[in-house]
């Protein structure tokens, strides 16, 4: 219990039991006086739900106090939906650094992205200076050109051969002239290593676009980092971590006037008909589709 420093202000507690009901790790019990107690502290996953859900701010944990926490605000769902609909992959950027205040906001937000099992082992490598980005860009493009000419790296040849002439013409096929990037790595032992990174970048992208910045998912950059280990060293990625994906960002040099008119997606709803029995061949076919890639 001392590790958690779980404390209850008994003068505030209204004995509602919400903290105990919401504890996914079953750390909390209600005592004989109906106050919550952390009887199994070793099971805590540090999610902070107990402090967050308390309606009167009676719970403190890990030396975090409710009076220092922001209040949850009711969001405008129409504005959030508009942000989602208006999100664009931006490939035209101004040749300037994003200001330091905005960069701080982007980085600070990452403390709140969700991770599987509340592991929070993500590692974010930023290039937040345009001169650093130029060095990184030039080196990577040169390596790609040499690899294509020599055909020595299969993953490079497979992905970039159609663009060889564009590389030779000096076009920035990989980084699209972006002044900045963020590469997300995760521990190889993380329970949701790839998924955590993609979720984090999805949050990053929407917040960046709400701040007026452009973003672009950079699969080519991800390939380059996996093909050239020295790029990982440049980004200070430690041993035991694997790069999961890369995102470009910066001040936009193009603004979109309207939302695209997308086609409907396929949506189905399950019905209460009983779980079907399927044949062995049917099971094998589903296993195949579940496991491919």
């Amino acid at each position: 219990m001392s590790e958690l420093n779980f404390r209850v202000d008994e003068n505030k507690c209204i004995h509602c039991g919400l903290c105990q009901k919401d504890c996914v790790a079953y750390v909390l019990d209600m005592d004989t006086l109906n106050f919550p107690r952390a009887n199994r502290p070793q099971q805590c996953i540090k999610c902070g739900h107990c402090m967050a859900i308390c309606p009167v701010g009676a719970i403190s944990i890990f030396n975090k106090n409710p009076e220092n926490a922001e209040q949850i605000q009711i969001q405008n769902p129409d504005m959030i939906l508009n942000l989602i609909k208006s999100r664009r992959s931006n490939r035209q950027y101004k040749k300037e650094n994003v200001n330091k205040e905005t960069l701080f906001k982007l980085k600070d937000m990452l403390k709140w992205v969700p991770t599987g099992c509340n592991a929070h082992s993500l590692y974010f490598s930023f290039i937040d200076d345009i001169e650093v980005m130029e060095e990184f860009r030039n080196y990577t493009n040169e390596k790609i050109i040499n690899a294509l000419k020599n055909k020595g790296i299969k993953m490079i040849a497979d992905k970039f051969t159609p663009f060889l002439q564009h590389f030779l013409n000096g076009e920035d096929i990989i980084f699209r002239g972006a002044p900045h990037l963020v590469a997300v790595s995760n521990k190889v032992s993380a329970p949701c290593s790839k998924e955590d990174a993609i979720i984090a970048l999805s949050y990053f992208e929407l917040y960046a676009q709400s701040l007026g910045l452009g973003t672009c998912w950079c699969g080519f950059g991800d390939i380059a980092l996996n093909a050239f280990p020295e790029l990982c060293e440049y980004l200070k990625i430690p041993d035991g971590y694997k790069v999961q994906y890369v995102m470009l960002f910066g001040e936009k040099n193009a603004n979109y006037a309207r939302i695209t008119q997308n086609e409907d997606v396929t949506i189905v709803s399950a019905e209460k008909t009983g779980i079907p029995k399927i044949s062995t061949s049917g099971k094998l076919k589903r296993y195949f589709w579940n496991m491919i890639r």
Side-chain angles (χ1 to χ4, degrees):
M1 196 177 301
S2 60
E3 294 179 6
L4 300 187
N5 196 22
F6 180 86
R7 294 181 289 112
V8 179
D9 187 334
E10 296 183 358
N11 293 319
K12 291 182 178 180
C13 181
I14 59 174
H15 315 288
C16 63
L18 289 175
C19 55
Q20 188 263 339
K21 292 176 184 177
D22 205 51
C23 181
V24 68
Y26 302 101
V27 174
L28 304 181
D29 293 316
M30 305 304 287
D31 68 13
T32 55
L33 297 176
N34 212 26
F35 289 111
R37 304 299 178 205
N39 291 329
R40 289 168 291 278
Q42 72 281 0
Q43 296 177 192
C44 181
I45 63 170
K46 302 181 179 180
C47 65
H49 279 209
C50 54
M51 185 176 75
I53 201 171
C54 180
V56 294
I59 292 176
S60 301
I61 190 169
F62 294 111
N63 298 314
K64 311 288 186 182
N65 299 312
E67 57 267 24
N68 297 327
E70 293 180 55
Q71 294 296 307
I72 294 176
Q73 301 177 27
I74 297 175
Q75 306 299 321
N76 184 317
D78 291 332
M79 292 182 67
I80 292 175
L81 180 59
N82 182 268
L83 176 62
I84 293 170
K85 288 180 176 180
S86 60
R87 184 219 67 84
R88 297 284 92 205
S89 293
N90 192 282
R91 297 177 179 86
Q92 298 184 63
Y93 296 92
K94 294 180 181 179
K95 295 182 178 180
E96 61 185 54
N97 285 324
V98 170
N99 68 74
K100 291 183 179 180
E101 180 182 356
T102 301
L103 281 169
F104 173 81
K105 289 180 178 180
L106 284 168
K107 294 177 181 179
D108 192 59
M109 178 277 301
L110 294 170
K111 294 185 290 189
W112 284 278
V113 299
T115 57
C117 303
N118 209 43
H120 286 291
S121 56
L122 290 170
Y123 188 95
F124 299 93
S125 300
F126 276 81
I127 296 182
D128 48 23
D129 183 274
I130 196 167
E131 292 185 7
V132 178
M133 188 68 196
E134 282 302 301
E135 180 175 67
F136 190 83
R137 184 194 331 270
N138 293 337
Y139 180 88
T140 304
N141 287 337
E142 184 177 343
K143 289 287 290 186
I144 295 291
I145 291 171
N146 289 336
L148 290 176
K149 287 180 175 180
N150 299 324
K151 298 182 179 180
I153 303 177
K154 187 178 186 303
M155 73 169 76
I156 295 297
D158 289 346
K159 295 293 184 180
F160 294 111
T161 294
F163 304 102
L164 176 57
Q165 191 56 51
H166 295 280
F167 279 106
L168 293 175
N169 291 341
E171 296 178 39
D172 186 14
I173 297 298
I174 300 177
F175 303 113
R176 305 294 181 176
H180 308 302
L181 68 73
V182 54
V184 187
S185 307
N186 207 349
K187 285 184 178 179
V188 295
S189 59
C192 303
S193 187
K194 186 77 172 182
E195 294 84 350
D196 289 348
I198 299 302
I199 291 169
L201 286 178
S202 297
Y203 274 62
F204 179 91
E205 175 179 52
L206 286 178
Y207 186 48
Q209 299 224 3
S210 78
L211 294 170
L213 301 179
T215 59
C216 188
W217 295 81
C218 188
F220 282 171
D222 183 57
I223 293 169
L225 286 175
N226 282 283
F228 307 121
E230 64 271 31
L231 297 180
C232 294
E233 292 296 312
Y234 190 90
L235 294 176
K236 303 178 182 179
I237 298 170
D239 292 343
Y241 283 75
K242 182 181 186 303
V243 177
Q244 300 296 343
Y245 219 83
V246 176
M247 180 166 282
L248 310 173
F249 69 99
E251 297 287 352
K252 296 183 292 185
N253 205 26
N255 289 294
Y256 297 92
R258 58 193 55 83
I259 293 168
T260 57
Q261 300 176 46
N262 292 3
E263 300 296 325
D264 288 339
V265 298
T266 301
I267 299 174
V268 300
S269 296
E271 299 177 357
K272 188 179 179 181
T273 57
I275 306 300
K277 294 182 179 180
I278 58 177
S279 65
T280 300
S281 61
K283 290 180 180 178
L284 291 173
K285 181 173 67 174
R286 179 47 57 190
Y287 285 142
F288 171 79
W289 293 121
N290 286 349
M291 297 176 66
I292 193 170
R293 288 178 66 95

